[in-house]
Amino acid sequence: MTVSVATLGFPRIGLRRELKLALEKYWAGKSSLADLQTAATGLRALNWTRQKALGADILPSNDFSLYDHVLDTTALVGAIPARYNWTGEGIDADLYFAMARGAQQPADCGHAHGGETTAMEMTKWFDTNYHFLVPELVADQVFKIASTKIFDEFKEARSLGYATRPVLLGPVSYLMLAKGKAVEPLALLPRLLDVYAEVLTRLAALGADWVQIDEPCLVLDLSDDQRTAFERAYSSLATRGPKLMLTTYFGGLGDNLDLVAQLPVHGLHLDLVRAPEQLEPAVAKLQPYVLLSLGIIDGRNIWRANLPDLYWRLKELAAKRDLVIAPSCSLLHVPVDLALETSLDPEIAQWLAFAAQKVEELAALARALNESEDASFTAFSASRIAAVARATSPKIHDPVVMARVDALDQSAARRAVPFAVRREAQQRRLKLPAYPTTTIGSFPQTPEVRKARAAHVKGDIDDAAYAQYLRVETRAAVKWQEEIGLDVLVHGEFERNDMVQYFGEQLAGFAFTRSGWVQSYGSRCVRPPILYGDVSRPAPMTVEWWRYAQEQTDRPMKGMLTGPVTILNWSFVRDDQSRAASCRQIALAIRDEVRDLEAAGAAIIQIDEAALREGLPLRRSEWQNYLDWAVESFRIASSGVREDTQIHTHMCYSEFNDIIRAIGAMDADVISIETARSQMELLDAFASYAYPNEVGPGVYDIHSPRIPAEREMTDLLTLAGKHVPPSQLWVNPDCGLKTRRWDEVRPALVAMVAAAKSMRARALVKGAYHAK
């Protein structure tokens, strides 16, 4: 019996974010398409070489993407929305990036994609912080092979001497993730299967022995129609050439195991990190010829594995059948290499494993299972030492924090008076007009801002000089907001590197990397903090910058905080206690900051919970438990203020219908949400629920370089008014503006303010607006 090592996908961004730099140079017109393609080719080659050298036997191809693997699948099957004016003859870079980011070119430019075109809708990939482009399908949808990427990259790897296993998003998951216009996407399965069959046949002709076909939707609750779709799909595809490794991740198969056990596939990958309990029933139900791929190393978190424990868990099974061992999912979700972290606390560093180290762990485990435990003596000994050191470290536990959490009672998570009373008190204090305008928090982090921050980190400029630079930027941003007529201002967050990292750096219990980047979407990368211990707030974090900004204006200045659930969900979280316990600790730290801001004079405090929906378990039976402690944590953070202090929150790129009651239970006075790309569809949930508090639907898609016109925004606000009473509406962008340029932001926000004024004028003319 043999144990092989596979990777399901490797980080695309490069060791030092080379993909981000190449993309942004290309988008800025500072490099050619050939330059971008050369950079991408180099990254793929390095990834294959690195994985092979680290000990992987089975390498993936087609796991690389210039933007998003779901968008790549859309391109593969030719499901291009009509607004992009696709000719049907291949997909060029302009079309690909127009779907990803939108396009804004003169209508008479002569280009096939000229004129203003909105990007495809973007949402979270299951319960991760990765975003994908949602396929858009219509009743008369025609599928055809329109991109050769999957074939080209297989051949590219082969030319370098690597026999790879191509990765393909499965047809049923693709359709389940899609949005249909006047059609249920699964009704299109027969047409789509014809294209998938052709793809598999062509891969076989090129020499592919196996294809990794990802069906992550198999870990969800499935309807009868969805189960039938899986049966139909794999009965059709099983004989089309390559052997199929049906790959599931982000959870257990649960009640879908019987379905999967009957599918005529040659291999099955199980996530044994999220669902270790599924191994024994899966072994019992699968046919002996099915090759088992065991996801035993965590592809979602950065903690080092306990190799001796895994060895003893798998030893008996490995003696009975061939196995593949692998990460639980693609390594897309973790940083590339811990070796770059030369300044990380060595004690904490020994507890960690990034993508490169995870492949090494798998190789060591395979060596022990194929030979003997002694064959990996060094790796196993280091693993044991790290596990003991982490469990006994005094850095992890803080009795003061634990006692404070234990002392919490229900009053800590409840505002003193109901929203209707608070609203009147806030109106008296703030005196805002109808359709009040604001932004979500951040302003552009220009090259100059980033350069100043880097110089300060390196010690090239001292604290005083850096603070003065930030004061100048903040003052200019405040004055400009006044000039264009925004009603509620923000300070711009020029001092912040990231909405989670900034707070984590000031909280006890967090550690930070220098190069621990992971992809969020496209060229957007984040460095998640490492939550390794009990959390507390040694000192105020934002009060000084809020106070300085408020001194520059008479208008309300929002205090800007990141909420406890988002800090948790956007961090690499300790796995030695429950996530709920860690979240309550963070909530108490944020509560302290909220009260300090209020004491300093802040009348409006925004506590962003962009990632609340993201943390929702994939199985509905587990939702309520998560929502209970997540909502409680937000309320702990936000409920210690007076009735005339207005609490805002913000959520982005999420489906709200299923959790609208939980959003209502958060009891924020104002919630701002992403709605521009969905044309206000996301407000349906707020309308059907009769959401009582105030809502700021985004009217400016900040993830696209497009500059929306005033008319576009007034149209969106008119649509919003059909879902939510105008007296409850705020006007704001979808999200923070740090990734945009000032030459995009300035005209867009001027148009947004004009749109709000236009809506006020209409309301007065119609007499439809009842003063707040």
Side-chain angles (χ1 to χ4, degrees), residues 742-753:
W742 275 110
D743 60 354
E744 298 163 344
V745 167
R746 287 192 177 97
L749 291 187
V750 167
M752 188 186 82
V753 171

PDB file of all heavy atoms in Angstrom, residues 742-753:
ATOM      1  N   TRP A 742      -7.731  58.874  -5.869  1.00  0.00           N
ATOM      2  CA  TRP A 742      -8.468  60.118  -5.638  1.00  0.00           C
ATOM      3  C   TRP A 742      -9.168  60.607  -6.901  1.00  0.00           C
ATOM      4  O   TRP A 742     -10.253  61.193  -6.829  1.00  0.00           O
ATOM      5  CB  TRP A 742      -7.534  61.200  -5.096  1.00  0.00           C
ATOM      6  CG  TRP A 742      -7.344  61.160  -3.618  1.00  0.00           C
ATOM      7  CD1 TRP A 742      -6.209  60.811  -2.936  1.00  0.00           C
ATOM      8  CD2 TRP A 742      -8.315  61.468  -2.608  1.00  0.00           C
ATOM      9  NE1 TRP A 742      -6.412  60.875  -1.581  1.00  0.00           N
ATOM     10  CE2 TRP A 742      -7.698  61.292  -1.350  1.00  0.00           C
ATOM     11  CE3 TRP A 742      -9.649  61.869  -2.642  1.00  0.00           C
ATOM     12  CZ2 TRP A 742      -8.364  61.515  -0.148  1.00  0.00           C
ATOM     13  CZ3 TRP A 742     -10.318  62.096  -1.453  1.00  0.00           C
ATOM     14  CH2 TRP A 742      -9.687  61.916  -0.225  1.00  0.00           C
ATOM     15  N   ASP A 743      -8.555  60.387  -8.071  1.00  0.00           N
ATOM     16  CA  ASP A 743      -9.203  60.875  -9.293  1.00  0.00           C
ATOM     17  C   ASP A 743     -10.457  60.074  -9.633  1.00  0.00           C
ATOM     18  O   ASP A 743     -11.259  60.501 -10.472  1.00  0.00           O
ATOM     19  CB  ASP A 743      -8.228  60.889 -10.479  1.00  0.00           C
ATOM     20  CG  ASP A 743      -7.670  59.516 -10.824  1.00  0.00           C
ATOM     21  OD1 ASP A 743      -7.943  58.542 -10.086  1.00  0.00           O
ATOM     22  OD2 ASP A 743      -6.944  59.402 -11.823  1.00  0.00           O
ATOM     23  N   GLU A 744     -10.652  58.928  -8.986  1.00  0.00           N
ATOM     24  CA  GLU A 744     -11.901  58.188  -9.092  1.00  0.00           C
ATOM     25  C   GLU A 744     -12.876  58.599  -7.977  1.00  0.00           C
ATOM     26  O   GLU A 744     -14.075  58.782  -8.207  1.00  0.00           O
ATOM     27  CB  GLU A 744     -11.632  56.680  -8.982  1.00  0.00           C
ATOM     28  CG  GLU A 744     -10.747  56.119 -10.078  1.00  0.00           C
ATOM     29  CD  GLU A 744     -10.166  54.756  -9.732  1.00  0.00           C
ATOM     30  OE1 GLU A 744     -10.197  54.363  -8.537  1.00  0.00           O
ATOM     31  OE2 GLU A 744      -9.677  54.089 -10.649  1.00  0.00           O
ATOM     32  N   VAL A 745     -12.338  58.746  -6.786  1.00  0.00           N
ATOM     33  CA  VAL A 745     -13.173  59.006  -5.611  1.00  0.00           C
ATOM     34  C   VAL A 745     -13.806  60.387  -5.658  1.00  0.00           C
ATOM     35  O   VAL A 745     -15.004  60.551  -5.350  1.00  0.00           O
ATOM     36  CB  VAL A 745     -12.331  58.830  -4.326  1.00  0.00           C
ATOM     37  CG1 VAL A 745     -13.049  59.403  -3.115  1.00  0.00           C
ATOM     38  CG2 VAL A 745     -12.003  57.359  -4.115  1.00  0.00           C
ATOM     39  N   ARG A 746     -13.024  61.393  -6.036  1.00  0.00           N
ATOM     40  CA  ARG A 746     -13.552  62.764  -5.989  1.00  0.00           C
ATOM     41  C   ARG A 746     -14.806  62.930  -6.840  1.00  0.00           C
ATOM     42  O   ARG A 746     -15.847  63.371  -6.334  1.00  0.00           O
ATOM     43  CB  ARG A 746     -12.463  63.751  -6.393  1.00  0.00           C
ATOM     44  CG  ARG A 746     -11.378  63.942  -5.344  1.00  0.00           C
ATOM     45  CD  ARG A 746     -10.494  65.143  -5.666  1.00  0.00           C
ATOM     46  NE  ARG A 746      -9.507  65.349  -4.626  1.00  0.00           N
ATOM     47  CZ  ARG A 746      -8.251  64.917  -4.685  1.00  0.00           C
ATOM     48  NH1 ARG A 746      -7.833  64.220  -5.753  1.00  0.00           N
ATOM     49  NH2 ARG A 746      -7.402  65.148  -3.700  1.00  0.00           N
ATOM     50  N   PRO A 747     -14.769  62.621  -8.131  1.00  0.00           N
ATOM     51  CA  PRO A 747     -15.997  62.812  -8.914  1.00  0.00           C
ATOM     52  C   PRO A 747     -17.130  61.898  -8.483  1.00  0.00           C
ATOM     53  O   PRO A 747     -18.305  62.284  -8.552  1.00  0.00           O
ATOM     54  CB  PRO A 747     -15.554  62.516 -10.351  1.00  0.00           C
ATOM     55  CG  PRO A 747     -14.299  61.717 -10.238  1.00  0.00           C
ATOM     56  CD  PRO A 747     -13.635  62.196  -8.987  1.00  0.00           C
ATOM     57  N   ALA A 748     -16.806  60.698  -8.009  1.00  0.00           N
ATOM     58  CA  ALA A 748     -17.860  59.778  -7.587  1.00  0.00           C
ATOM     59  C   ALA A 748     -18.592  60.301  -6.356  1.00  0.00           C
ATOM     60  O   ALA A 748     -19.828  60.258  -6.272  1.00  0.00           O
ATOM     61  CB  ALA A 748     -17.274  58.397  -7.309  1.00  0.00           C
ATOM     62  N   LEU A 749     -17.848  60.815  -5.377  1.00  0.00           N
ATOM     63  CA  LEU A 749     -18.502  61.323  -4.171  1.00  0.00           C
ATOM     64  C   LEU A 749     -19.222  62.642  -4.429  1.00  0.00           C
ATOM     65  O   LEU A 749     -20.269  62.912  -3.820  1.00  0.00           O
ATOM     66  CB  LEU A 749     -17.488  61.472  -3.035  1.00  0.00           C
ATOM     67  CG  LEU A 749     -16.940  60.167  -2.462  1.00  0.00           C
ATOM     68  CD1 LEU A 749     -16.073  60.442  -1.236  1.00  0.00           C
ATOM     69  CD2 LEU A 749     -18.054  59.199  -2.092  1.00  0.00           C
ATOM     70  N   VAL A 750     -18.678  63.477  -5.316  1.00  0.00           N
ATOM     71  CA  VAL A 750     -19.406  64.697  -5.698  1.00  0.00           C
ATOM     72  C   VAL A 750     -20.746  64.314  -6.314  1.00  0.00           C
ATOM     73  O   VAL A 750     -21.793  64.898  -5.994  1.00  0.00           O
ATOM     74  CB  VAL A 750     -18.561  65.546  -6.668  1.00  0.00           C
ATOM     75  CG1 VAL A 750     -19.418  66.640  -7.319  1.00  0.00           C
ATOM     76  CG2 VAL A 750     -17.373  66.168  -5.934  1.00  0.00           C
ATOM     77  N   ALA A 751     -20.743  63.304  -7.188  1.00  0.00           N
ATOM     78  CA  ALA A 751     -21.990  62.843  -7.804  1.00  0.00           C
ATOM     79  C   ALA A 751     -22.914  62.239  -6.748  1.00  0.00           C
ATOM     80  O   ALA A 751     -24.143  62.409  -6.822  1.00  0.00           O
ATOM     81  CB  ALA A 751     -21.683  61.819  -8.890  1.00  0.00           C
ATOM     82  N   MET A 752     -22.352  61.550  -5.766  1.00  0.00           N
ATOM     83  CA  MET A 752     -23.181  60.942  -4.724  1.00  0.00           C
ATOM     84  C   MET A 752     -23.894  62.012  -3.895  1.00  0.00           C
ATOM     85  O   MET A 752     -25.092  61.890  -3.594  1.00  0.00           O
ATOM     86  CB  MET A 752     -22.308  60.067  -3.812  1.00  0.00           C
ATOM     87  CG  MET A 752     -23.099  59.236  -2.809  1.00  0.00           C
ATOM     88  SD  MET A 752     -22.038  58.345  -1.636  1.00  0.00           S
ATOM     89  CE  MET A 752     -21.707  59.681  -0.459  1.00  0.00           C
ATOM     90  N   VAL A 753     -23.174  63.058  -3.526  1.00  0.00           N
ATOM     91  CA  VAL A 753     -23.794  64.146  -2.767  1.00  0.00           C
ATOM     92  C   VAL A 753     -24.881  64.816  -3.606  1.00  0.00           C
ATOM     93  O   VAL A 753     -25.976  65.125  -3.113  1.00  0.00           O
ATOM     94  CB  VAL A 753     -22.727  65.162  -2.318  1.00  0.00           C
ATOM     95  CG1 VAL A 753     -23.390  66.410  -1.724  1.00  0.00           C
ATOM     96  CG2 VAL A 753     -21.787  64.532  -1.293  1.00  0.00           C
TER      97      VAL A 753
END
